[in-house]
Amino acid sequence: MALILYTLTLEKIHDIALLKLMGAKNSMILGLVLQESFFLGAIAYGIAYFLGDLVFPFFPRRVIVTNDMLIWLALAVVALCIAGSSLGIWKAIRVEPNEVLA
Amino acid sequence: MTDPANNTPAIEMQGVTKVYGSGNTRVIAIKDIDLTIGKGEVVALLGPSGSGKSTLLSAIGLINPPTAGRIMINGTPVMDGPNEMVNIRRYRREHIGFIFQKSNLIPFLTAIENVLVALAIAGTTGRPAKKRATHLLESLGISDRANNLPSALSGGQQQRVAIARALANNPSLLLADEPTAALDGKLGRQVMELFRDLGHTSGAGVLVVTHDQRALDVFDRTIHLEDGVLTNQHEASTAH
Ligand SMILES: Nc1ncnc2c1ncn2[C@@H]1O[C@H](COP(=O)(O)OP(=O)(O)OP(=O)(O)O)[C@@H](O)[C@H]1O
Ligand SMILES: [Mg+2]
């Protein structure tokens, strides 16, 4: 997950350098990276939820999914998203605007 | 007395030098440059490959700090040697428009969205931003392509979107590095004429790096770099 986010950010390093060159604040760039991360996180959560619905009935023991668990899982996903993007964010914040010229 | 603000140059450089690397790999890219460009003045920067044109442009554009010398924009000291005298990120978004050889559009955004990004960076969003972006694309004759991705546009159209983006925040300084290199002669000339009209109507200082000899008559003035030194200023004072 972290690796995917990192690669996605790397892919856009040129665009991020461009945004900086145009004078974008770091907070805006941070927002963009996190937004992407949360978007992916939301998709993963959705897939996991439906997959769970499909698979759990075949488990030997009944799996009880409570609302509480779902909320905790959501929080975990959010935390993972932030952790996962930190490498990408670190890279994004360090990009020099003149990489656009390269 | 006349309004002193009108006499303030758009760009003033004093003794600007840029050295890359150190020791054996030391390269003096530009050396002791003194240069003044007035408001509304449209200037071409010429010189052989490696003479320091891009270095000069990126120093003025606050993306590549000089090693020594002072840079003033609209009378405000912005760089003193490598030291930033203002918030340069903010200065870039509010005062400077950049155009490059490649249009450098964001590939997954449409033409109008690429312009909207520049506006958003400077804090303009919503309807006023949409209106401004549409107007810009109209004035550059590409409003019918507003909702196309860059990949669906021709080179000339992409470059015009990039120009619209550079103009989005009414920059007082327009810097272009070989903006017409990827365009054919006729289109290249049109783009140069566009820069001239922009400078003359908006009062922005315009500095364009170019190799295109055919469009030089469009400019108010041409300056020449050679080995990091402005040569025509010497020519002016040395009779042959
Ligand atoms: N990042 C860098 N590190 C080291 N040397 C550099 C760097 N950028 C430019 N130089 C050197 O500085 C000199 C001027 O380069 P610059 O790119 O400003 O030239 P230019 O006039 O724009 O050339 P061209 O017409 O080929 O674009 C060259 O000798 C170049 O090799
Ligand atoms: Mg160059």
Side-chain angles (χ1 to χ4, degrees):
Chain A
M1 178 78 175
L3 201 65
I4 293 173
L5 283 169
Y6 185 61
T7 328
L8 279 173
T9 312
L10 273 190
E11 217 171 69
K12 298 205 180 77
I13 244 22
H14 183 265
D15 299 323
I16 290 170
L18 180 76
L19 293 176
K20 285 193 173 183
L21 188 133
M22 296 197 293
K25 293 178 192 160
N26 278 340
S27 58
M28 181 182 180
I29 288 159
L30 194 103
L32 288 175
V33 178
L34 277 180
Q35 217 179 327
E36 173 150 353
S37 166
F38 285 141
F39 178 69
L40 288 174
I43 292 177
Y45 183 79
I47 292 173
Y49 184 85
F50 285 109
L51 222 59
D53 263 8
L54 285 176
V55 172
F56 287 160
F58 301 103
F59 276 25
R61 289 218 259 143
R62 263 177 73 90
V63 180
I64 301 161
V65 183
T66 64
N67 278 341
D68 251 17
M69 279 171 73
L70 284 176
I71 290 168
W72 277 114
L73 186 64
L75 287 177
V77 169
V78 169
L80 273 174
C81 284
I82 295 175
S85 14
S86 53
L87 194 60
I89 288 169
W90 181 75
K91 184 82 191 165
I93 297 299
R94 277 171 33 112
V95 190
E96 289 289 330
N98 52 28
E99 287 191 33
V100 173
L101 310 175
Chain B
M1 249 187 81
T2 51
D3 181 7
N6 286 333
N7 303 328
T8 317
I11 308 171
E12 237 181 313
M13 302 180 94
Q14 294 169 350
V16 172
T17 297
K18 173 73 187 187
V19 180
Y20 290 110
S22 59
N24 284 341
T25 59
R26 217 171 101 103
V27 177
I28 303 177
I30 51 174
K31 192 165 184 256
D32 209 14
I33 301 281
D34 292 323
L35 176 65
T36 303
I37 294 178
K39 290 213 170 85
E41 197 179 10
V42 183
V43 178
L45 173 58
L46 299 146
S49 182
S51 57
K53 304 182 296 296
S54 298
T55 303
L56 182 63
L57 206 74
S58 57
I60 298 172
L62 310 181
I63 47 183
N64 194 356
T67 314
R70 282 161 62 83
I71 301 175
M72 277 159 285
I73 297 180
N74 296 325
T76 307
V78 289
M79 296 297 290
D80 189 357
N83 304 313
E84 299 164 4
M85 311 299 284
V86 292
N87 177 340
I88 58 169
R89 205 76 81 83
R90 175 168 175 187
Y91 218 81
R92 282 205 299 267
R93 68 174 168 263
E94 289 178 355
H95 296 281
I96 305 178
F98 295 97
I99 297 143
F100 304 100
Q101 180 170 348
K102 291 190 303 158
S103 60
N104 277 312
L105 299 174
I106 297 176
F108 47 89
L109 298 180
T110 64
I112 193 164
E113 284 167 350
N114 266 282
V115 179
L116 289 170
V117 166
L119 289 162
I121 284 175
T124 313
T125 53
R127 284 185 64 83
K130 194 89 189 269
K131 219 174 130 191
R132 169 102 183 122
T134 308
H135 170 77
L136 280 163
L137 293 178
E138 254 164 33
S139 68
L140 289 160
I142 36 168
S143 52
D144 54 326
R145 316 293 283 170
N147 296 314
N148 284 86
L149 289 174
S151 56
L153 302 178
S154 73
Q157 290 169 334
Q158 288 180 24
Q159 201 57 308
R160 279 183 282 168
V161 176
I163 294 168
R165 182 178 63 185
L167 297 176
N169 300 310
N170 275 320
S172 52
L173 207 56
L174 199 60
L175 304 173
D177 199 344
E178 303 191 34
T180 62
L183 308 180
D184 69 44
K186 189 154 165 275
L187 200 56
R189 192 180 171 82
Q190 278 174 19
V191 168
M192 296 301 195
E193 284 172 347
L194 198 65
F195 287 151
R196 179 193 56 198
D197 297 344
L198 288 167
H200 290 179
T201 53
S202 74
V206 181
L207 182 60
V208 183
V209 172
T210 180
H211 285 297
D212 190 353
Q213 299 287 332
R214 289 164 300 179
L216 292 184
D217 57 295
V218 168
F219 294 88
D220 298 329
R221 180 156 63 109
T222 57
I223 55 176
H224 297 260
L225 258 184
E226 214 151 304
D227 283 336
V229 181
L230 284 176
T231 52
N232 53 335
Q233 303 200 334
H234 293 272
E235 270 166 32
S237 54
T238 335
H240 284 280

